[in-house]
Amino acid sequence: MDVEAVKTDMIIVGAGPVGLFAVFEAGLLGLKCHLIDNLDRPGGQCTELYPEKPIYDIPARPKVTGQELVDDLMIQCSPFDPVFHLNQQAEELVKLADGNWRMTTSVGEVIVAPIVVVAAGAGSFVPKKPKYPNLEIYEDKSIDYSVHKMDKYKGKSLAIVGGGDSALDWVLSLQPLAKKITLIHRREGFRAAPDTEAQFKQLVADDKVDFIIGNVKALNGGEGQLSSIGIETIEGDLIDVTCDYMLPFMGLKISLGPIAKWGLNLNRKYITVNTETFSTDTEGIYAIGDVCTYPSKIKLILTGFYEAAVMCHGAFKYAFPDRKMATGYTTTNTAIQERLGV
C-alpha cells in the first residue's frame, strides 16, 4: 500500500542551526518547511557534540552554549510551525513529472515539495565504538558517547577514554561536578589544543584527576550498570578502576549517506553550489552550511546563516515565480510582522 505523501514548500535535510535558521528565513517569505534529521532532536552538532560548551562568534552573542543557541533558534522559527521528521534519514529523492521532488525517508515517510535544501553539516555523525567485550550491555545505560546533561554525572565516578579535544574538554568541564574522573588513553601524547592539554596536566598534578596510560580490557557490572573497568597499563599490569559511567571519545565517523547517491555535483564530501542562490547543479536542490563548498568558503555557523537567507530568496523566486515576495526589514514590513505574530 502506497504511503500518502505530505506536501510542503521546502524540505530541509538537517535540523542543525543552519537548517533551523533557514526555517525562519523561509517563514518570513511565507514558505512552510519540513525538516528531516537522523538525530532524535533538533540541533545537529551543537546538540550532539557540544551542548554545554560556549561559542564565541555568533553575532550579538558574546557567549552562548550550543544548546542555548539551538533553543533560541527553535523559539525564533516557532511562529512558522516547522514539522520535524526525527530519528530517520532522507533516503530516496525522485523528480516528479510536475517538477516537484518526492522525498522518502528511512522509515517510509513521504514528503513532496518544489524545493529541497541540504543543510546536513558534514553529514551524519556516528561515534566510533570501541571493541570492548559486552559493550552493548552497558550502552545507553552507563556508557555514553556524548554528554547531553552535565548534571547527570554530578557526584559520580567517571572513566573517560580518549586523547583528543573531546576527551580532554569533557574532563575539564565535568571535573568540578564529578566525584572522581579517570582519563584512560593508550599513550602519553594527546591530540588536543595545547591550552586544553596544559589545563588537564595541571589537574593531574594537583591530584584532581587521575590519568592512566593503557587500554580498557574488561567491563564489570550487572544489568547494564558499570561498577568498574579493567585496564591493562602500558607496563602490562592489570588494574580495576571504579566508575559509575564510562565516556569513550574515540572520534566520529562522518558520512553523507544517501545524499551521496542523489547525483549532485560533489567535491569530495561537499556539494558545489552557485553562490548567487546556493543552488546545486540540479534544479530545485540547494545546499547551505558546512555541507556546501565554493571559493572563499568559511566554515562557520554565521556563514551558514547568511547562506540560508540568500538561498531562501533564490529558492522562492525559482519555485514560485508568480508569487509576490515580501521583502524589506522586519522592523517595518507589516506582512512580515503578521507572519511573525508581532
Side-chain angles (χ1 to χ4, degrees), residues 2-13:
D2 292 337
V3 176
E4 185 176 352
V6 176
K7 295 183 179 180
T8 190
D9 298 317
M10 181 182 291
I11 301 168
I12 301 175
V13 181

Side-chain angles (χ1 to χ4, degrees), residues 37-59:
D37 202 291
N38 69 324
L39 298 177
D40 60 358
R41 57 200 175 283
Q45 294 183 50
C46 282
T47 293
E48 191 68 10
L49 299 183
Y50 44 91
E52 299 198 41
K53 289 188 65 177
I55 305 170
Y56 299 100
D57 60 354
I58 302 299

Side-chain angles (χ1 to χ4, degrees), residues 92 169 214 221 250 319:
E92 183 185 45
D169 281 344
M250 320 298 286

Side-chain angles (χ1 to χ4, degrees), residues 296-307:
S296 77
K297 167 79 175 187
I298 301 175
K299 294 177 69 173
L300 295 173
I301 295 175
L302 63 90
T303 307
F305 290 164
Y306 160 77
E307 294 166 357

Side-chain angles (χ1 to χ4, degrees), residues 101-151:
W101 290 98
R102 185 184 69 205
M103 177 79 73
T104 304
T105 75
S106 56
V107 300
E109 293 188 7
V110 180
I111 313 164
V112 171
I115 304 166
V116 174
V117 181
V118 182
S124 298
F125 283 79
V126 180
K128 293 180 180 177
K129 296 185 179 183
K131 296 180 181 179
Y132 299 153
N134 301 317
L135 179 71
E136 65 283 353
I137 295 175
Y138 301 97
E139 287 180 314
D140 300 323
K141 296 176 182 175
S142 53
I143 293 181
D144 295 328
Y145 297 106
S146 59
V147 177
H148 298 302
K149 292 291 183 182
M150 291 174 61
D151 282 348

Side-chain angles (χ1 to χ4, degrees), residues 49-308:
L49 299 183
Y50 44 91
E52 299 198 41
K53 289 188 65 177
I55 305 170
Y56 299 100
D57 60 354
I58 302 299
R61 303 296 294 273
K63 178 182 177 182
V64 61
T65 68
Q67 191 59 55
E68 286 170 345
L69 177 62
V70 169
D71 291 343
D72 285 350
L73 286 165
M74 288 289 288
I75 294 170
Q76 187 178 40
C77 72
S78 63
F80 307 117
D81 299 320
V83 179
F84 292 92
H85 305 262
L86 303 174
N87 282 315
Q88 54 196 295
Q89 279 190 314
E91 202 159 81
E92 183 185 45
L93 186 62
V94 177
K95 187 70 173 283
L96 301 178
D98 62 4
N100 285 326
W101 290 98
R102 185 184 69 205
M103 177 79 73
T104 304
T105 75
S106 56
V107 300
E109 293 188 7
V110 180
I111 313 164
V112 171
I115 304 166
V116 174
V117 181
V118 182
S124 298
F125 283 79
V126 180
K128 293 180 180 177
K129 296 185 179 183
K131 296 180 181 179
Y132 299 153
N134 301 317
L135 179 71
E136 65 283 353
I137 295 175
Y138 301 97
E139 287 180 314
D140 300 323
K141 296 176 182 175
S142 53
I143 293 181
D144 295 328
Y145 297 106
S146 59
V147 177
H148 298 302
K149 292 291 183 182
M150 291 174 61
D151 282 348
K152 174 180 179 179
Y153 307 106
K154 188 174 183 179
K156 303 296 184 181
S157 296
L158 310 180
I160 295 178
V161 185
D165 280 306
S166 292
L168 267 64
D169 281 344
W170 282 117
V171 169
L172 301 183
S173 297
L174 293 171
Q175 187 274 327
L177 288 176
K179 177 182 178 182
K180 177 184 177 183
I181 293 182
T182 303
L183 180 76
I184 301 103
H185 185 40
R186 57 187 174 83
R187 57 188 178 87
E188 190 171 357
F190 299 99
R191 307 175 312 281
D195 182 60
T196 303
E197 183 175 344
Q199 292 182 64
F200 167 74
K201 288 181 176 178
Q202 188 60 54
L203 288 176
V204 174
D206 294 341
D207 291 325
K208 294 182 178 180
V209 168
D210 291 341
F211 175 41
I212 299 174
I213 304 174
N215 292 291
V216 176
K217 294 295 183 180
L219 306 178
N220 308 311
E223 297 183 356
Q225 178 57 55
L226 284 171
S227 58
S228 68
I229 57 175
I231 301 171
E232 182 179 0
T233 69
I234 194 172
E235 293 86 9
D237 298 326
L238 296 175
I239 60 173
D240 275 346
V241 173
T242 300
C243 68
D244 300 302
Y245 292 97
M246 180 170 71
L247 289 79
F249 294 109
M250 320 298 286
L252 296 168
K253 296 184 291 184
I254 305 174
S255 171
L256 283 178
I259 295 171
K261 301 177 182 178
W262 291 353
L264 303 177
N265 184 19
L266 293 178
N267 179 0
R268 302 174 73 179
K269 293 184 178 180
Y270 304 101
I271 302 170
T272 301
V273 295
N274 174 350
T275 53
E276 288 186 10
T277 59
F278 292 93
S279 58
T280 69
D281 60 350
T282 303
E283 273 197 350
I285 302 182
Y286 300 78
I288 56 176
D290 284 354
V291 76
C292 77
T293 186
Y294 50 88
S296 77
K297 167 79 175 187
I298 301 175
K299 294 177 69 173
L300 295 173
I301 295 175
L302 63 90
T303 307
F305 290 164
Y306 160 77
E307 294 166 357

